Structure formats: C-alpha cells, structure tokens
Amino acid sequence: MSKIKLMFSNAVYMFKVIWNFSKSLFFGKMLLAILNGVIAPLNAYILKILVEKITVFDWNSTLAVIGIIAAVNLTNGVLQAYINRKLGITGDLFRNHLMFEFNSKVVNMDYEILFEPDMIHMKELAFKTIREGRAIKYLDILFSCISYVISLASIIYLLSSFSWWVYLIMLGLSSIKIYTVIADKKHNYNISVDMAPINAETSYYMNMLADESYANDMRMFSISRWVISKYEKCITKAHKMLESLLSGIFKNTVVRNVLSVIETVFLYTFVASQMFFNNMTFADFTMATSALRTFSDSITNITGSLIDLGENSAYVKIYREFMKKKNTIAVPGRGRNIKELPDTRYIFELADVGFKYPGSEKMVLEGLNLQAEKGKFYVIVGKNGVGKTTLVRLLCRLYDPSSGIIRYMNNDLRDLEYKSYRDNIGVVFQDYKYYCLSIAENVAMNEYDGSEEVIKKISDALNAAGLSEKINSLPKGINTQLGKIFDKEGVLLSGGELQKLALARVLFKNSSVVILDEPSSALDALAEDELIRTFNTALKGKTVFYISHRLSVAKYADKVIFMEDSGIKGFDTHETLLESIKSYRILYESQAKHYK
Ligand code: ADP
C-alpha cells in the first residue's frame, strides 16, 4: 500500500473510531478546526480595513473596526473555551476507550495468535500506539490539517492579486525546511523501532527487580546485581541511539532557523517592493505581511502534519492490524453450547492428537490416543518438558491440536461454543495468580457481589479446600486483603496456602472438569500427601486431571497417564503400569527412594 493510500485509509479508520465513539466529540473537534482555520486570515483582513480607516483619519469607523476585532476574537476565544470545556471529559473517556478496547482485545485473543513470535513485537508496538497517545495524536493532526487547509485557501483568496511565483518561492523555502523535518522524523522512527526490543528488555529487567514473585530468587541467588548489569547494558545501547538522534536534530534545527530568516527577508523585500513600484496601499501592505506569514506557517504546518501522519501511520497501521486479528478459537456464539450435549460414557477422547507451537517446527505432542471417563481422577505424570502442560492447554482449548481430534462428550472441541466449554473447566495453572484484593474476591472473582449466598459459597469452597482454619484466624476473615499493596494489614499466604486458595477458586466455580497443573510442586512430600487427600475429597464426582512430575501421587489416581517422548507411553492404573512399563517403574523407583 502506498504511503498516501495508507495515510488516507488510516484517516478514514480513525474518523470512524471517533465517530462511533461520540458524534458530539467529532463535531466539536471539527468546529474547533474550522475556527482555528479562519481566525488568522480573518484578523489579517480586518487589520487591512483598520489601516484603511486610519489612513483616511476616520475616527468613528476606526473605533468600530477595533470593536469588530474585539468581538471576533472574544467570540472565538469563548467559543473555543466552551467547546474544549464540553469535550474535556469526552476526550478523556475517548483516550480510556482506546486503551480499554486494546486491553479487551489482548485479553480475549487466542493464545495461538497472542504468543506467536511475530505477534509479541506487534503487540508491543500496538500498545505503544495507545500508551503514547499516537492514535489520538493521529486524529488531532487530521483535525489540525483541516485548519491549515482552511487558512491556506482563505489567504490565497485574500491575496489573489499576487503572482504565482511569490507562492512558489515561499513553497520552495518551506520545502527545504520540511525536508529537514522529514529527516528528523525518519531518524526518530527508525530509532524507536530499533529501540522497541531494547525497551521491552529493559522493562522486563525492571519488572523483575520490582515483582514480588521474583523476590525469593533475587535474595537467594543474589541475582539482583546480575539483572541490574543486564539492565545497564540495555540502557547503554539505548543511550547510544538517543545520542545519534539528538545530534541529527541539532543540525537540522540550525538549518531551519537560517531558512526562516531568509524567508522573512524575502517576504519584507517583496511586499516593500510592491509599495515602492506597484502602488500597493499601506492597508494592503499590512494585510499582505500578516497573511503571507500565516501562509508560510500553514505550509510548514501542513507538511509537518503530513509527515507526522506518515510517521504515526506506521503505528496506526500496526494498531489496526492488531485490532483486526481474528480469533479462530475464542469466537463468541459459534458452535454448540455444551449444556445441550447428551450424556456419554467418555468425557474426553483424544484421537491421534499432535501439536506444535505456532512459529515452531518441533512437534511437542504426537499420536496421543486416550479415552477418559466422567468423574474419574486422572494423574498425568512424566518428566519435565514431556508436554504435560501442553496437553492441558489443549484440553482447555487454549490451543487447537495441529493434527488429530479432541472430543468432549462425543463432540469435536472445535464444534463447541468455546465460552460454555471453558466455563465448565476449572484450572489451577502452575503459574496461578493471586490478586491484591480480598480473599473473598480472590475466590469468587467476577461473581463476588457481597451477597449472603455468595459468601456462603466462598466459605464452603474455602472449607473444602482446607483453608478455613487459617482464614478464620485472621481478624477480617474472608475480607482480609491479599498482599500489602493496597492495605498495610494485608496478608501474605504461603505457597501451599495459595495453592489451596486456587483450589477454592475452582471449587467455587463448580465446574465438572478440574485440571490441576503441578499444584503440589511447592510442597514437601507430606504436605503434598495432605493436599492430594484434600483435593481428592473436595473434587469427588468431578473429572480431574492432576499433573505432576512426581509419581508419588499416582497411587491416588483411577488411572495414570504416563507421558514420555512427546506421547502417551502408558494409560492404566499405577500398579499395572509399574508391572508393564519398565521406564515407569524405573522413574517411580528413582523417585520413591526419596520419600520411602
Ligand atoms: P511439561 O509440562 O511436561 O514440563 P510443557 O508442556 O510445558 O512440558 O512443554 C513441552 C515442550 O513444549 C517443551 O519443550 C517446551 O519448551 C515447549 N513449549 C512450552 N510452551 C511453549 C510455547 N509457548 N512456545 C513454544 N514452545 C513451548
């Protein structure tokens, strides 16, 4: 797409965005643009009339024209202030609206798209477009362009008696100025693109230092110095780029200042020559000097704006492309609602399932076949990196398989309405999150409304998760805040307690399928034993997939899914697998000696 075409399509897109958000904001901004466009040429014209009245010594008319000048400028000022006052809140809401739309897009985006390697960079730039207000700036520039075009047209009309070559010389001088502006902008854009990955790296290290979840590593491995040195390396690289940008900008600023002086000399020489040799009146002289100055400014501004549009075009384009990305999985309303499905014996069936992550050629899972019954407790075991979490992501339909089929109650997952499906699955991920909100809100999440019924459900869930004793011992009970960011009296729970809290969240959700991804990884063998007993009792009647790299949990399973070499090596009871699969036995015995 050519640059002009792109600018135009971006302009149409942004006008549509503001139009759909608020018509009054659109019209208000348009009215401001028109007022800004006419005010300078109008003042130049009234000045000419004023000088005419002064030169014929007509006192009363002079006073009347001064009155008109006052009235015009007062009306303009009051009108602009009024519009700005009226649009103030809407403008702010519009900025938030863009941020909200972006965040909603991210939060609902398929993993397949969001974690695609190219998309990570694209998301960073799209976010920058919004965070730095580039999309809003694009719109503001468009409205400013409307002002400049109105100014230019009015001045050409007022000075229609001037020869074309005067405008041509002014245009020529402005073009050189603009050339230097383009050079600056290009340099600026190239550097900001080069800096995007460095900035991402810098903020990653910064977050690492401040993020509580790294607090243990920082202290125990003394890695803060190491992280800081990585951070400093990034900053040094960024400063080198900034240095080259600043020196380029300095040179071009000097050139532009020299050109402005040449322009002023030309302007005054030309208009004075008109008075000397072409009988120009003093009134026309006054109007011409003022109007030509505005003409020159408008040319510079309009071209500067076009360059700004060009520069921001790349960002708006990326933002548009990001917002345009279509989900293939999370498409609301498509497919059968799982509540409509008739009962079947097998809740899940995997037929020759294979998977590779987007942007990667390596098959992480291959040839998976499995039939899982309703209400059973399955333990998925296997060494780290064998693909257990990936299998769970497929079961949650965060990704679709690259080959083969996953069926839920006899239906291909891809034919089911994704939301009704996901709502029916409760998951405790390995990297589960807790929120700096009350314990009650951490359990009920979006369903928390403070009602008695919800509070009872929360207490039941906490009880079943084995956490009520701890919570009841806190002075504010379930209303205690987690973390200390918003409340000095907030509590910090231990790893095991947080896992129970995550379980309570799943119990509150009351989904029929529960997936627990290494919920006991932070616990010792005894605590793990206690936790799995709690889980086993609390989750009776639900279909449970419990992932662990420790085989000690396998004895609790109705069946064990033993994963090896990207596939399912065995699917049976713990005892049968011990007898039938040598690698399972070896793995079990190598671990068992630690907790026997
Ligand atoms: P496990 O849960 O058994 O430890 P995972 O399912 O987490 O194993 O990982 C299986 C393989 O997939 C590993 O080789 C891992 O590096 C790779 N992997 C995991 N997540 C991603 C991802 N988002 N993109 C690319 N590869 C991934």
Side-chain angles (χ1 to χ4, degrees), residues 357 360 362 364 383-390 393 399 430:
Y357 280 98
S360 156
K362 186 185 151 214
V364 175
K383 290 182 186 162
N384 280 332
V386 79
K388 302 182 294 293
T389 300
T390 307
R393 287 181 183 147
Y399 292 98
Q430 235 172 61

Side-chain angles (χ1 to χ4, degrees), residues 41 149-162 167 291 295 299:
V149 169
I150 292 174
S151 283
L152 270 185
S154 320
I155 285 160
I156 292 175
Y157 174 75
L158 287 179
L159 303 180
S160 50
S161 61
F162 282 6
Y167 296 114
F295 180 83
I299 292 274

Side-chain angles (χ1 to χ4, degrees), residues 11-21:
V12 172
Y13 175 84
M14 286 311 298
F15 277 135
K16 268 193 197 156
V17 171
I18 192 170
W19 176 263
N20 289 336
F21 176 73

Side-chain angles (χ1 to χ4, degrees), residues 94-134:
F94 184 53
R95 265 183 289 280
N96 288 332
H97 165 77
L98 291 183
M99 183 53 96
F100 178 78
E101 290 279 286
F102 174 79
N103 287 341
S104 305
K105 185 78 190 174
V106 174
V107 94
N108 291 312
M109 199 170 243
D110 284 350
Y111 269 25
E112 209 159 89
I113 306 172
L114 192 61
F115 293 126
E116 193 190 307
D118 287 349
M119 276 301 284
I120 295 174
H121 189 210
M122 190 181 194
K123 185 183 134 203
E124 169 78 14
L125 287 175
F127 181 48
K128 196 176 156 87
T129 309
I130 296 302
R131 187 190 53 207
E132 294 178 357
R134 285 175 186 266

Side-chain angles (χ1 to χ4, degrees), residues 8 10 30 103 144 164 170 204 224 247 269 277 317 349 353 379 393 402 426 432 453 471 480 520 543 580-581:
F8 186 73
N10 277 342
M30 192 58 96
N103 287 341
S144 301
W164 55 269
M170 300 280 286
Y204 177 71
S224 57
S247 89
T269 314
F277 309 111
K317 178 176 170 240
E349 287 169 281
V353 169
V379 170
R393 287 181 183 147
S402 312
Y432 62 88
E453 187 194 345
I471 305 294
T480 310
S520 53
T543 312
S580 59
I581 298 180

Side-chain angles (χ1 to χ4, degrees), residues 212 432-443 467 470-471 474 477-494 497-498 501-502 505:
E212 283 169 32
Y432 62 88
K433 296 280 178 220
Y434 75 86
Y435 303 91
C436 290
L437 301 167
S438 70
I439 288 173
E441 283 171 293
N442 266 281
V443 174
L467 206 58
K470 166 81 189 178
I471 305 294
L474 301 168
I478 61 166
N479 295 318
T480 310
Q481 289 276 316
L482 277 195
K484 291 183 180 289
I485 297 182
F486 302 123
D487 185 355
K488 273 192 284 195
E489 289 168 18
V491 292
L492 298 171
L493 297 180
S494 71
E497 285 163 348
L498 284 174
L501 186 74
R505 191 181 287 162

